[in-house]
Amino acid sequence: MTSIGGAEMVDWNLAVATATRFVRPGPEISREEARAVVAELRRHAKASEEHVRSFTRMIPDGHEPEDTPVLVVDRAGWIRANVAGFRELLRPLLGKMRDRRGSGPGNAVLGAVGGKVTGVELGMLLSFLASRVLGQYETFAPATRELPGSSKGGGRLLLVAPNIVHVERELEVDPHDFRLWVALHEETHRTQFTGVPWLRDHLQGEIQSFLDETDVDPMTVLERLREAAQAFSGGSRPEGERGEDGGDRGRSLVEIVQTPAQREILGRLTAVMSLLEGHADFVMDGVGPDVVGSVAEIREKFQQRRARGASRLDLALRKLLGLDAKLQQYRDGEKFVRAVVEEVGMDGFNRVWTSPNTLPTKAEIAAPADWVARVHRKADS
């Protein structure tokens, strides 16, 4: 997403058009059934608010957090929303690259071509992801007429109806239970951000720090991407960046193009994302037995699906894009949350939301007792 580009550096409209053209078609469904699915997802999203608030106790009684809309979208709607989010989040970085490139005639021509190439690349990536995401809490994307956000300009919950229907059919689970189960997970993310006012700004600051460390010289960026491609095709990697076995296995494209400073920031971001994803898994399983009759069956089948991937190509793309790391975040984060709640209870766990200083480190995600010792025992001594 950082190739040499034109005035916008990325042709965002082309990204939307490319992703929409190449995304897989959704499951066959009648218009009447589609309306029923959308209506049910909206009901489940509303019901999930009370279930999640009661279980997590993150929002005090009598306190009404910032309202954020729930949007039931198709794959094209998810694509448009995420392109808007990328555009907003990458604006400072792309502006720096545009200034660095200069404004000569040759650069303008090169920019126009580069922007279109990057738009196609981004579109192809989003076309792959658009058929896999069940739901998403959008934290940073600006509100538009088509995709409204909160009154403060950001925050909306997306439920991708065709993907939910596809997975419930693939797993052969009760569709009504599965839709509620998904809504519980995504509602937990909404509660995290609406119930913890500083979390959005903290995450945005970390991401911007990560982008600020990016090499803004276009040729340097292209050289780093070339080295990454060589690594995945069996070529050489710079000394000191090989795995323990001397090979390039186990590292994603995202990891390979990072600077040392970015890796430090990524460690903090990984810890936060593990916490958020693990907490959402913990909550939906905790609430599930009371409101989702077949939660055990759904969880077992869904975990099997996560682990195996859809095909050999899917597994390769997941590794390349770093999606395997995200799957690990679910597992590690859920273990962290479960261990802390067992040790100090839900209210004790909720100290994690006090400030950025009480968030777990990447090391503490793997060693929950260390977080308890740092946050609880020092505070209570």
PDB file of all heavy atoms in Angstrom, residues 49-65 195 347 350:
ATOM      1  N   GLU A  49     -25.998  -6.469  23.449  1.00  0.00           N
ATOM      2  CA  GLU A  49     -25.539  -5.361  24.287  1.00  0.00           C
ATOM      3  C   GLU A  49     -25.719  -5.677  25.763  1.00  0.00           C
ATOM      4  O   GLU A  49     -24.780  -5.571  26.557  1.00  0.00           O
ATOM      5  CB  GLU A  49     -26.317  -4.080  23.944  1.00  0.00           C
ATOM      6  CG  GLU A  49     -25.934  -3.435  22.636  1.00  0.00           C
ATOM      7  CD  GLU A  49     -26.651  -2.106  22.462  1.00  0.00           C
ATOM      8  OE1 GLU A  49     -26.777  -1.364  23.462  1.00  0.00           O
ATOM      9  OE2 GLU A  49     -27.106  -1.817  21.347  1.00  0.00           O
ATOM     10  N   GLU A  50     -26.918  -6.064  26.164  1.00  0.00           N
ATOM     11  CA  GLU A  50     -27.203  -6.326  27.569  1.00  0.00           C
ATOM     12  C   GLU A  50     -26.460  -7.553  28.063  1.00  0.00           C
ATOM     13  O   GLU A  50     -25.936  -7.578  29.180  1.00  0.00           O
ATOM     14  CB  GLU A  50     -28.713  -6.502  27.778  1.00  0.00           C
ATOM     15  CG  GLU A  50     -29.120  -6.706  29.238  1.00  0.00           C
ATOM     16  CD  GLU A  50     -28.637  -5.591  30.142  1.00  0.00           C
ATOM     17  OE1 GLU A  50     -28.649  -4.417  29.704  1.00  0.00           O
ATOM     18  OE2 GLU A  50     -28.235  -5.896  31.288  1.00  0.00           O
ATOM     19  N   HIS A  51     -26.401  -8.602  27.231  1.00  0.00           N
ATOM     20  CA  HIS A  51     -25.682  -9.815  27.631  1.00  0.00           C
ATOM     21  C   HIS A  51     -24.212  -9.511  27.921  1.00  0.00           C
ATOM     22  O   HIS A  51     -23.662  -9.942  28.942  1.00  0.00           O
ATOM     23  CB  HIS A  51     -25.767 -10.869  26.517  1.00  0.00           C
ATOM     24  CG  HIS A  51     -27.147 -11.400  26.276  1.00  0.00           C
ATOM     25  ND1 HIS A  51     -27.991 -11.780  27.298  1.00  0.00           N
ATOM     26  CD2 HIS A  51     -27.827 -11.634  25.120  1.00  0.00           C
ATOM     27  CE1 HIS A  51     -29.130 -12.221  26.787  1.00  0.00           C
ATOM     28  NE2 HIS A  51     -29.050 -12.135  25.469  1.00  0.00           N
ATOM     29  N   VAL A  52     -23.563  -8.767  27.020  1.00  0.00           N
ATOM     30  CA  VAL A  52     -22.142  -8.478  27.168  1.00  0.00           C
ATOM     31  C   VAL A  52     -21.892  -7.537  28.340  1.00  0.00           C
ATOM     32  O   VAL A  52     -20.969  -7.734  29.137  1.00  0.00           O
ATOM     33  CB  VAL A  52     -21.570  -7.896  25.857  1.00  0.00           C
ATOM     34  CG1 VAL A  52     -20.143  -7.375  26.061  1.00  0.00           C
ATOM     35  CG2 VAL A  52     -21.595  -8.954  24.758  1.00  0.00           C
ATOM     36  N   ARG A  53     -22.704  -6.515  28.483  1.00  0.00           N
ATOM     37  CA  ARG A  53     -22.519  -5.571  29.586  1.00  0.00           C
ATOM     38  C   ARG A  53     -22.688  -6.266  30.937  1.00  0.00           C
ATOM     39  O   ARG A  53     -21.935  -6.018  31.881  1.00  0.00           O
ATOM     40  CB  ARG A  53     -23.503  -4.412  29.463  1.00  0.00           C
ATOM     41  CG  ARG A  53     -23.238  -3.499  28.289  1.00  0.00           C
ATOM     42  CD  ARG A  53     -24.178  -2.308  28.299  1.00  0.00           C
ATOM     43  NE  ARG A  53     -24.061  -1.517  27.075  1.00  0.00           N
ATOM     44  CZ  ARG A  53     -24.686  -0.371  26.866  1.00  0.00           C
ATOM     45  NH1 ARG A  53     -25.487   0.120  27.808  1.00  0.00           N
ATOM     46  NH2 ARG A  53     -24.524   0.287  25.734  1.00  0.00           N
ATOM     47  N   SER A  54     -23.697  -7.124  31.032  1.00  0.00           N
ATOM     48  CA  SER A  54     -23.945  -7.829  32.292  1.00  0.00           C
ATOM     49  C   SER A  54     -22.793  -8.765  32.639  1.00  0.00           C
ATOM     50  O   SER A  54     -22.372  -8.858  33.798  1.00  0.00           O
ATOM     51  CB  SER A  54     -25.257  -8.618  32.190  1.00  0.00           C
ATOM     52  OG  SER A  54     -25.476  -9.382  33.358  1.00  0.00           O
ATOM     53  N   PHE A  55     -22.248  -9.447  31.643  1.00  0.00           N
ATOM     54  CA  PHE A  55     -21.190 -10.425  31.893  1.00  0.00           C
ATOM     55  C   PHE A  55     -19.854  -9.743  32.194  1.00  0.00           C
ATOM     56  O   PHE A  55     -19.124 -10.146  33.107  1.00  0.00           O
ATOM     57  CB  PHE A  55     -21.041 -11.352  30.686  1.00  0.00           C
ATOM     58  CG  PHE A  55     -20.037 -12.449  30.878  1.00  0.00           C
ATOM     59  CD1 PHE A  55     -20.373 -13.607  31.560  1.00  0.00           C
ATOM     60  CD2 PHE A  55     -18.756 -12.331  30.360  1.00  0.00           C
ATOM     61  CE1 PHE A  55     -19.443 -14.621  31.743  1.00  0.00           C
ATOM     62  CE2 PHE A  55     -17.823 -13.339  30.532  1.00  0.00           C
ATOM     63  CZ  PHE A  55     -18.172 -14.490  31.221  1.00  0.00           C
ATOM     64  N   THR A  56     -19.512  -8.699  31.426  1.00  0.00           N
ATOM     65  CA  THR A  56     -18.192  -8.082  31.564  1.00  0.00           C
ATOM     66  C   THR A  56     -18.121  -7.062  32.689  1.00  0.00           C
ATOM     67  O   THR A  56     -17.041  -6.819  33.238  1.00  0.00           O
ATOM     68  CB  THR A  56     -17.779  -7.362  30.270  1.00  0.00           C
ATOM     69  OG1 THR A  56     -18.684  -6.279  30.003  1.00  0.00           O
ATOM     70  CG2 THR A  56     -17.780  -8.334  29.089  1.00  0.00           C
ATOM     71  N   ARG A  57     -19.236  -6.435  33.022  1.00  0.00           N
ATOM     72  CA  ARG A  57     -19.296  -5.379  34.035  1.00  0.00           C
ATOM     73  C   ARG A  57     -18.310  -4.239  33.718  1.00  0.00           C
ATOM     74  O   ARG A  57     -17.783  -3.585  34.629  1.00  0.00           O
ATOM     75  CB  ARG A  57     -19.033  -5.949  35.434  1.00  0.00           C
ATOM     76  CG  ARG A  57     -20.018  -7.019  35.846  1.00  0.00           C
ATOM     77  CD  ARG A  57     -20.060  -7.205  37.349  1.00  0.00           C
ATOM     78  NE  ARG A  57     -18.857  -7.824  37.869  1.00  0.00           N
ATOM     79  CZ  ARG A  57     -18.665  -9.155  37.947  1.00  0.00           C
ATOM     80  NH1 ARG A  57     -19.618  -9.976  37.513  1.00  0.00           N
ATOM     81  NH2 ARG A  57     -17.570  -9.648  38.463  1.00  0.00           N
ATOM     82  N   MET A  58     -18.094  -3.988  32.429  1.00  0.00           N
ATOM     83  CA  MET A  58     -17.194  -2.920  32.015  1.00  0.00           C
ATOM     84  C   MET A  58     -17.856  -1.548  32.073  1.00  0.00           C
ATOM     85  O   MET A  58     -17.167  -0.529  32.194  1.00  0.00           O
ATOM     86  CB  MET A  58     -16.695  -3.176  30.590  1.00  0.00           C
ATOM     87  CG  MET A  58     -15.731  -4.331  30.455  1.00  0.00           C
ATOM     88  SD  MET A  58     -15.202  -4.562  28.730  1.00  0.00           S
ATOM     89  CE  MET A  58     -14.370  -2.993  28.417  1.00  0.00           C
ATOM     90  N   ILE A  59     -19.181  -1.515  31.938  1.00  0.00           N
ATOM     91  CA  ILE A  59     -19.903  -0.248  31.900  1.00  0.00           C
ATOM     92  C   ILE A  59     -20.741  -0.127  33.168  1.00  0.00           C
ATOM     93  O   ILE A  59     -21.651  -0.932  33.403  1.00  0.00           O
ATOM     94  CB  ILE A  59     -20.791  -0.169  30.652  1.00  0.00           C
ATOM     95  CG1 ILE A  59     -19.909  -0.258  29.392  1.00  0.00           C
ATOM     96  CG2 ILE A  59     -21.613   1.121  30.647  1.00  0.00           C
ATOM     97  CD1 ILE A  59     -20.685  -0.292  28.101  1.00  0.00           C
ATOM     98  N   PRO A  60     -20.451   0.856  34.035  1.00  0.00           N
ATOM     99  CA  PRO A  60     -21.171   0.988  35.301  1.00  0.00           C
ATOM    100  C   PRO A  60     -22.664   1.218  35.088  1.00  0.00           C
ATOM    101  O   PRO A  60     -23.092   1.780  34.076  1.00  0.00           O
ATOM    102  CB  PRO A  60     -20.518   2.215  35.960  1.00  0.00           C
ATOM    103  CG  PRO A  60     -19.199   2.384  35.249  1.00  0.00           C
ATOM    104  CD  PRO A  60     -19.408   1.878  33.866  1.00  0.00           C
ATOM    105  N   ASP A  61     -23.462   0.780  36.043  1.00  0.00           N
ATOM    106  CA  ASP A  61     -24.903   1.011  35.988  1.00  0.00           C
ATOM    107  C   ASP A  61     -25.195   2.505  35.920  1.00  0.00           C
ATOM    108  O   ASP A  61     -24.579   3.313  36.621  1.00  0.00           O
ATOM    109  CB  ASP A  61     -25.587   0.421  37.231  1.00  0.00           C
ATOM    110  CG  ASP A  61     -25.541  -1.093  37.253  1.00  0.00           C
ATOM    111  OD1 ASP A  61     -25.365  -1.682  36.170  1.00  0.00           O
ATOM    112  OD2 ASP A  61     -25.661  -1.682  38.353  1.00  0.00           O
ATOM    113  N   GLY A  62     -26.147   2.856  35.079  1.00  0.00           N
ATOM    114  CA  GLY A  62     -26.538   4.249  34.929  1.00  0.00           C
ATOM    115  C   GLY A  62     -25.672   5.038  33.968  1.00  0.00           C
ATOM    116  O   GLY A  62     -25.985   6.192  33.659  1.00  0.00           O
ATOM    117  N   HIS A  63     -24.595   4.427  33.481  1.00  0.00           N
ATOM    118  CA  HIS A  63     -23.718   5.112  32.529  1.00  0.00           C
ATOM    119  C   HIS A  63     -24.023   4.614  31.123  1.00  0.00           C
ATOM    120  O   HIS A  63     -24.016   3.421  30.865  1.00  0.00           O
ATOM    121  CB  HIS A  63     -22.256   4.844  32.855  1.00  0.00           C
ATOM    122  CG  HIS A  63     -21.300   5.442  31.858  1.00  0.00           C
ATOM    123  ND1 HIS A  63     -21.067   6.792  31.762  1.00  0.00           N
ATOM    124  CD2 HIS A  63     -20.522   4.858  30.903  1.00  0.00           C
ATOM    125  CE1 HIS A  63     -20.196   7.018  30.797  1.00  0.00           C
ATOM    126  NE2 HIS A  63     -19.851   5.867  30.254  1.00  0.00           N
ATOM    127  N   GLU A  64     -24.300   5.534  30.237  1.00  0.00           N
ATOM    128  CA  GLU A  64     -24.599   5.171  28.860  1.00  0.00           C
ATOM    129  C   GLU A  64     -23.437   5.616  27.973  1.00  0.00           C
ATOM    130  O   GLU A  64     -23.199   6.812  27.802  1.00  0.00           O
ATOM    131  CB  GLU A  64     -25.892   5.825  28.394  1.00  0.00           C
ATOM    132  CG  GLU A  64     -26.425   5.255  27.095  1.00  0.00           C
ATOM    133  CD  GLU A  64     -26.753   3.764  27.174  1.00  0.00           C
ATOM    134  OE1 GLU A  64     -27.148   3.301  28.262  1.00  0.00           O
ATOM    135  OE2 GLU A  64     -26.603   3.073  26.146  1.00  0.00           O
ATOM    136  N   PRO A  65     -22.665   4.681  27.425  1.00  0.00           N
ATOM    137  CA  PRO A  65     -21.512   5.058  26.615  1.00  0.00           C
ATOM    138  C   PRO A  65     -21.922   5.622  25.266  1.00  0.00           C
ATOM    139  O   PRO A  65     -23.101   5.622  24.900  1.00  0.00           O
ATOM    140  CB  PRO A  65     -20.758   3.734  26.446  1.00  0.00           C
ATOM    141  CG  PRO A  65     -21.834   2.699  26.507  1.00  0.00           C
ATOM    142  CD  PRO A  65     -22.857   3.228  27.484  1.00  0.00           C
ATOM    143  N   GLY A 195     -16.707   1.470  26.117  1.00  0.00           N
ATOM    144  CA  GLY A 195     -16.579   1.469  27.574  1.00  0.00           C
ATOM    145  C   GLY A 195     -15.220   1.921  28.068  1.00  0.00           C
ATOM    146  O   GLY A 195     -15.049   2.200  29.254  1.00  0.00           O
ATOM    147  N   ASP A 347     -13.947  -8.392  38.125  1.00  0.00           N
ATOM    148  CA  ASP A 347     -13.616  -7.015  38.484  1.00  0.00           C
ATOM    149  C   ASP A 347     -12.110  -6.817  38.568  1.00  0.00           C
ATOM    150  O   ASP A 347     -11.593  -5.754  38.213  1.00  0.00           O
ATOM    151  CB  ASP A 347     -14.281  -6.645  39.814  1.00  0.00           C
ATOM    152  CG  ASP A 347     -15.796  -6.559  39.699  1.00  0.00           C
ATOM    153  OD1 ASP A 347     -16.297  -6.267  38.591  1.00  0.00           O
ATOM    154  OD2 ASP A 347     -16.489  -6.795  40.703  1.00  0.00           O
ATOM    155  N   ASN A 350     -10.809  -6.481  35.134  1.00  0.00           N
ATOM    156  CA  ASN A 350     -11.166  -5.208  34.510  1.00  0.00           C
ATOM    157  C   ASN A 350     -10.201  -4.075  34.843  1.00  0.00           C
ATOM    158  O   ASN A 350     -10.281  -3.000  34.246  1.00  0.00           O
ATOM    159  CB  ASN A 350     -12.591  -4.815  34.892  1.00  0.00           C
ATOM    160  CG  ASN A 350     -13.631  -5.561  34.069  1.00  0.00           C
ATOM    161  OD1 ASN A 350     -13.335  -6.079  32.988  1.00  0.00           O
ATOM    162  ND2 ASN A 350     -14.860  -5.639  34.572  1.00  0.00           N
TER     163      ASN A 350
END
